[in-house]
Amino acid sequence: MIPGPWAAAAWYATIPFWPLLGALLVGVLLILRQKPERAHLPVVAGVAFAALLAVIMFFDTAQRYPSKGGTEADHDAGHAAVVLAADPPSPIRSGNAPAGWVDPGYTYTLYRWISFGAVESQALGRWISVNFYFDGLTAMMMLFVTVVSLMVVIYAIGYMRDHHGHPERGYERFFAFLGLFVFSMAMLVMAGNFVLLYLGWELVGLCSYLLIGFYYGKPEAAAAAKKAFLVNRIGDLGFALGIFALYWFLSPHVLEHENPLDFAIAFKYAAELQTDSGLLGLHQSTVVALLLLCGAIGKSAQFPLYVWLPDAMEGPTPVSALIHAATMVTAGIYMIARCGPIFAGSPFALDVILILGLIGAVLTATMALAQYDMKRILAYSTISQLAFMFVALGCGVPKSGVFHVFTHAWFKALLFLGAGSVMHAMGGVIDVRRFSGLRQVLPRTYAVMLIGCLALAGFPLLAGFWSKDEIVHAALFSDTPWVGWLLVLTALLTAFYTFRMFFLCFHGPLRLPAEAGQHPHESPPVMLRPLYILALGAIFTGYLGVGLVPGSADAFLGVLKPHAGIFHAYLGNSTIIETAHQGAEAAGAAVEHGSGIWVAYLSAVVALAGIGLAWLVYGRAPEVDPARRALGSVFGLLNAKYYVDEIYDAVLVRPLRGLGKVLFGVDRLGVDGAVHFVAAVPRGLAFVLQMFQRGVLQSYALSMVLGLVVLLVLWTVIRSPAT
Amino acid sequence: MLAAYLILGSVLFALGLIGFMTRRNLIIMFLCTEMMFQGIIVNLVAFGRYPLNGAPTFDGQVFALFLIAVAAAEAALGLALVVLLYRYRGTLDANAFTQLRDD
């Protein structure tokens, strides 16, 4: 029943449920009133087992999809092209429509969940199943989702304690939510149909609400949790409509027993969506793609719905790391990559993705220049990097975008957990103006943060360099090279603000806030060891996307060829489709012939320039920001984040709140008023009758006498005509 | 002559009724009910003595005796209840006993 290489699919299908089991066990421990110190054990064990299975799945998938090179050209280049006979044919990688789509994945069905359609045809009717979809993309996503989550969960054991090592209040609640979060993300990634994807999608939204608002007693935290939830709801509405639209458009085409919401089915018929939708003259695929995009914008915090992500810093630091690296924000990128056959059919939607990504990348990179909150700078960098991924998706090189998701997860988790380590030592202070020179007291944190910052800045040969370079490369060689130049500018800004933060924190004279106490201490090993592992990831994961070019020894960087690693071979056997839309093939060909290697040098120079500039301005960690004087009012504008929150407040929030009040009033007076009036009539009657039933003897007697009198009067009146 | 008896009976009954409705003391109210009984008994005896048509019968007297027996039984029961209520509440005010009302 199950093809050979997937014999373990039944085991892989259990991956999401181990963290869930851990979270449930925490709940059981709570009921049994066990000591909260042990609450982390079930969750860590659950996530660890899931991570183990995911790693096995990753290598299993690698066996199934041996390295064939990322593009067709690589075959010609003579790469080790071991193709198993059992291998499914590769999907079409170019062209606008996925005509001739061949499902590269394997769907494993756990059970049939919801039936729809006629009741009598249930045997043959359509079912939404709980099924999981396994392909290269799933294996790759699950690898970093579970492993990075495991690091975060282990780190949280140390982080969620006070100075005496006692668990913080709500320790067990925290770990239960973390387990639920990992479960949700795993469901999202492994889902085999849109309904299950939506389930995971909503669950991560719920978990982010629970965790951002973990310190719910703090008004800012409660507000941030609400903001994250509400902003995400706007996107999710579009996402849900997109799923409905997909069902609506595909239903006439699919066979009796096929569920158009299953990935394999939906993508098989994606070519049918090239007809007019009757809506503004858009193609059906464009309508579906744009609606799905709404969801991705909300979850992945893209312009214009990015505003929730910086505020989400109010949650505990491990949560920030989880949201920014392994869960939640990667969901949008993943979803667009997963729905490749649909998006590939809509050049217009790809252009929208490209434009939104560009706006987001530049806008938030400039905002990050003028922030003082360490975690907020990192948050803006996340948005900016996610925007990079959006540009990659829009440029028609989704593999590079997903590659950046992958490398970004490692170093962004590292950066956040490192920032958490600083915060831990500084007694909760996170404002970079209030401390400096921490290199002297936190040497280990300093070292891992340096690696993380270098990776984020795109320092040569670290993870971020390779993945970012690929995107810049594709954009520069597309039919719109100015996009690439804007990305180069963003990369420069990224290097600059990353090291602005780094130098302000770790260099210069030792300065400590009063909250840190006399002897700020390095974090305990339980927090540092996950950092070391993530640092390894930040250094080496980039090489998954880099291949060797045999015979091209013109330069050192030329030997290591981007776009050619096992990563791309891997993703070649997934639902990801690289389109010819923006000339991705040209980019690939350019690298192939060595002419595109200068882009790698350019990326290296840009990163070094940004870091050098940051050293010049902030190298001595001045207490007063030199950029503030130099930039003047522009700095104020950047510091206030272009007043986007205020504009949203004035343009959207206030009018909507006013409308809400009006509607509330109408509801209260009109609808509720009518209901209350109807209820008041019998109550009034009852009140009148109650007066005769007071329990006072005389009143009963009086009513009897009055009744008697009435009877006598009636009697006389009725009798009198007769007599 | 009948009219005089009937007037006496109705006066007794009316006085009893007014007393029952205006007084709060359970004993007084109890006595007032007895008074209403007496008014009715006077009426019954009068009808027995002066029948409205035909020869006089003893129906009225029989009913009167019957009613006296009922009144005696009611008095025994009623007084016992009054004593119990007094023990329970320490008062004989009728307004104090409203537990049987419908809420």
Side-chain angles (χ1 to χ4, degrees):
Chain A
M1 196 167 74
I2 299 163
W6 292 103
W11 273 103
Y12 303 151
T14 63
I15 291 177
F17 301 106
W18 297 107
L20 180 68
L21 184 69
L24 290 175
L25 279 179
V26 175
V28 173
L29 285 180
L30 262 184
I31 293 168
L32 295 178
R33 302 202 182 284
Q34 291 294 307
K35 286 178 185 169
E37 287 95 72
R38 276 179 265 167
H40 57 261
L41 282 177
V43 176
V44 171
V47 177
F49 195 65
L52 179 71
L53 283 175
V55 170
I56 296 172
M57 179 168 81
F58 183 78
F59 288 111
D60 192 6
T61 311
Q63 271 188 339
R64 183 152 169 76
Y65 303 132
S67 173
K68 290 187 298 191
T71 56
E72 295 296 337
D74 295 324
H75 284 284
D76 306 330
H79 269 266
V82 186
V83 183
L84 288 179
D87 244 19
S90 300
I92 303 291
R93 290 204 196 79
S94 56
N96 284 344
W101 164 264
V102 178
D103 183 13
Y106 171 71
T107 305
Y108 183 83
T109 306
L110 278 183
Y111 66 99
R112 295 198 289 181
W113 182 23
I114 304 167
S115 98
F116 52 106
V119 177
E120 55 268 23
S121 68
Q122 265 189 11
L124 282 171
R126 289 170 188 166
W127 284 82
I128 294 170
S129 304
V130 174
N131 54 9
F132 295 137
Y133 190 85
F134 297 108
D135 63 358
L137 183 60
T138 311
M140 186 281 305
M141 286 290 292
M142 287 312 294
L143 177 70
F144 81 78
V145 166
T146 52
V147 175
V148 173
S149 298
L150 178 63
M151 295 305 123
V152 171
V153 173
I154 292 172
Y155 175 93
I157 298 170
Y159 188 83
M160 299 304 284
R161 284 166 193 273
D162 59 17
H163 285 295
H164 308 289
H166 297 305
E168 231 177 83
R169 192 166 160 271
Y171 186 76
E172 57 274 51
R173 181 164 58 93
F174 185 75
F175 277 93
F177 289 167
L178 279 190
L180 192 64
F181 211 156
V182 179
F183 161 72
S184 318
M185 191 62 197
M187 284 301 274
L188 193 162
V189 172
M190 295 182 60
N193 61 59
F194 280 97
V195 179
L196 213 54
L197 176 67
Y198 193 75
L199 177 101
W201 196 266
E202 293 303 304
L203 272 175
V204 289
L206 167 72
C207 293
S208 71
Y209 172 78
L210 294 173
L211 284 167
I212 294 168
F214 181 74
Y215 299 121
Y216 54 80
K218 227 168 82 182
E220 300 89 31
K226 269 186 278 185
K227 190 172 178 183
F229 199 74
L230 289 178
V231 172
N232 265 296
R233 294 241 60 77
I234 299 169
D236 292 350
L237 174 69
F239 188 45
L241 289 176
I243 295 173
F244 296 153
L246 189 70
Y247 181 73
W248 182 259
F249 292 149
L250 279 185
S251 283
H253 301 294
V254 298
L255 299 175
E256 179 83 18
H257 61 280
E258 286 176 330
N259 173 12
L261 294 181
D262 268 334
F263 287 150
I265 307 298
F267 300 154
K268 190 166 96 183
Y269 292 98
E272 306 288 345
L273 294 177
Q274 292 298 321
T275 46
D276 186 42
S277 66
L279 184 75
L280 302 170
L282 296 170
H283 274 178
Q284 289 179 339
S285 61
T286 305
V287 172
V288 174
L290 287 179
L291 286 172
L292 293 180
L293 177 63
C294 290
I297 290 171
K299 272 289 175 280
S300 282
Q302 285 306 296
F303 183 81
L305 295 181
Y306 67 88
V307 287
W308 65 270
L309 195 61
D311 286 22
M313 296 298 102
E314 293 293 342
T317 308
V319 175
S320 308
L322 207 55
I323 290 179
H324 285 253
T327 61
M328 193 93 185
V329 296
T330 61
I333 314 288
Y334 165 76
M335 189 267 283
I336 294 179
R338 168 63 80 211
C339 298
I342 293 171
F343 280 87
S346 173
F348 178 69
L350 289 177
D351 283 341
V352 173
I353 295 174
L354 181 68
I355 299 295
L356 287 178
L358 267 187
I359 296 174
V362 179
L363 201 69
T364 50
T366 51
M367 286 179 192
L369 291 176
Q371 301 302 314
Y372 290 115
D373 183 319
M374 201 171 167
K375 281 169 72 183
R376 265 172 208 266
I377 296 172
L378 289 174
Y380 282 110
S381 88
T382 304
I383 306 173
S384 187
Q385 297 305 308
L386 288 166
F388 256 80
M389 301 162 202
F390 258 62
V391 171
L393 297 170
C395 269
V397 283
K399 279 183 206 164
S400 305
V402 174
F403 184 38
H404 198 43
V405 172
F406 184 78
T407 56
H408 180 258
W410 300 92
F411 60 75
K412 189 46 70 74
L414 173 66
L415 284 169
F416 265 108
L417 297 184
S421 182
V422 170
M423 200 172 162
H424 196 69
M426 292 297 113
V429 177
I430 199 76
D431 189 330
V432 290
R433 285 171 297 189
R434 295 193 50 198
F435 47 75
S436 64
L438 298 186
R439 158 181 66 152
Q440 296 162 39
V441 287
L442 305 174
R444 294 188 178 88
T445 306
Y446 171 76
V448 292
M449 279 298 275
L450 179 62
I451 293 170
C453 286
L454 285 174
L456 173 60
F459 191 79
L461 306 182
L462 267 72
F465 171 73
W466 295 112
S467 54
K468 211 189 283 182
D469 173 62
E470 271 188 31
I471 299 172
V472 173
H473 197 258
L476 275 175
F477 280 87
S478 67
D479 15 300
T480 49
W482 56 272
V483 171
W485 291 111
L486 271 177
L487 290 187
V488 170
L489 172 72
T490 312
L492 180 73
L493 291 175
T494 306
F496 180 74
Y497 68 68
T498 307
F499 275 87
R500 169 179 176 267
M501 176 200 82
F502 181 75
F503 291 138
L504 283 178
C505 288
F506 291 104
H507 281 256
L510 181 65
R511 231 163 10 99
L512 297 171
E515 289 89 337
Q518 288 304 310
H519 300 286
H521 55 95
E522 184 65 273
S523 300
V526 72
M527 287 166 72
L528 284 174
R529 282 179 191 150
L531 286 177
Y532 299 151
I533 295 173
L534 289 171
L536 287 179
I539 296 171
F540 293 112
T541 50
Y543 294 101
L544 285 177
V546 186
L548 287 171
V549 181
S552 100
D554 54 339
F556 178 61
L557 285 176
V559 176
L560 297 169
K561 188 171 77 90
H563 302 272
I566 56 166
F567 203 86
H568 300 79
Y570 224 80
L571 293 182
N573 292 77
S574 71
T575 59
I576 291 181
I577 290 187
E578 304 214 329
T579 62
H581 168 54
Q582 295 278 350
E585 281 177 347
V591 178
E592 190 58 38
H593 298 107
S595 64
I597 293 300
W598 61 269
V599 177
Y601 292 125
L602 175 72
S603 296
V605 169
V606 161
L608 290 173
I611 296 169
L613 197 60
W615 170 256
L616 285 180
V617 183
Y618 295 104
R620 273 174 295 234
E623 287 185 47
V624 183
D625 197 334
R628 164 158 262 167
R629 257 174 300 150
L631 291 174
S633 59
V634 177
F635 190 89
L637 184 66
L638 298 180
N639 186 251
K641 307 151 220 160
Y642 298 109
Y643 300 101
V644 170
D645 274 324
E646 285 75 7
I647 293 169
Y648 281 1
D649 191 51
V651 176
L652 294 172
V653 178
R654 276 168 204 279
L656 280 177
R657 191 178 290 159
L659 182 68
K661 274 185 183 148
V662 170
L663 291 178
F664 183 67
V666 169
D667 184 48
R668 203 142 193 214
L669 292 175
V671 181
D672 285 4
V675 173
H676 286 158
F677 178 73
V678 170
V681 171
R683 192 178 296 154
L685 282 173
F687 183 74
V688 173
L689 290 176
Q690 233 177 3
M691 299 207 299
F692 299 102
Q693 298 280 321
R694 278 179 307 178
V696 179
L697 207 50
Q698 274 91 7
S699 66
Y700 291 124
L702 182 66
S703 59
M704 280 165 71
V705 170
L706 287 176
L708 200 62
V709 168
V710 169
L711 276 178
L712 282 172
V713 168
L714 280 176
W715 192 53
T716 14
V717 171
I718 292 164
R719 278 292 297 272
S720 49
T723 47
Chain B
M1 278 305 284
L2 179 62
Y5 289 110
L6 289 185
I7 289 168
L8 174 67
S10 57
V11 167
L12 270 177
F13 186 86
L15 281 175
L17 189 61
I18 292 166
F20 185 84
M21 299 215 301
T22 52
R23 306 302 291 266
R24 292 283 179 267
N25 190 308
L26 282 177
I27 299 278
I28 306 288
M29 287 164 70
F30 179 73
L31 291 177
C32 288
T33 55
E34 292 301 314
M35 216 147 107
M36 290 193 281
F37 274 129
Q38 301 318 313
I40 294 163
I41 290 167
V42 167
N43 273 11
L44 287 172
V45 171
F47 280 124
R49 186 76 177 79
Y50 304 103
L52 294 175
N53 48 11
T57 59
F58 294 98
D59 291 356
Q61 281 86 339
V62 172
F63 275 117
L65 283 171
F66 195 69
L67 202 51
I68 288 166
V70 171
E74 186 258 349
L77 225 151
L79 276 174
L81 274 175
V82 168
V83 170
L84 273 178
L85 287 173
Y86 182 76
R87 279 205 194 145
Y88 179 57
R89 267 289 160 86
T91 176
L92 284 178
D93 189 342
N95 286 343
F97 303 101
T98 55
Q99 282 101 340
L100 290 181
R101 68 157 170 241
D102 295 346
D103 281 317

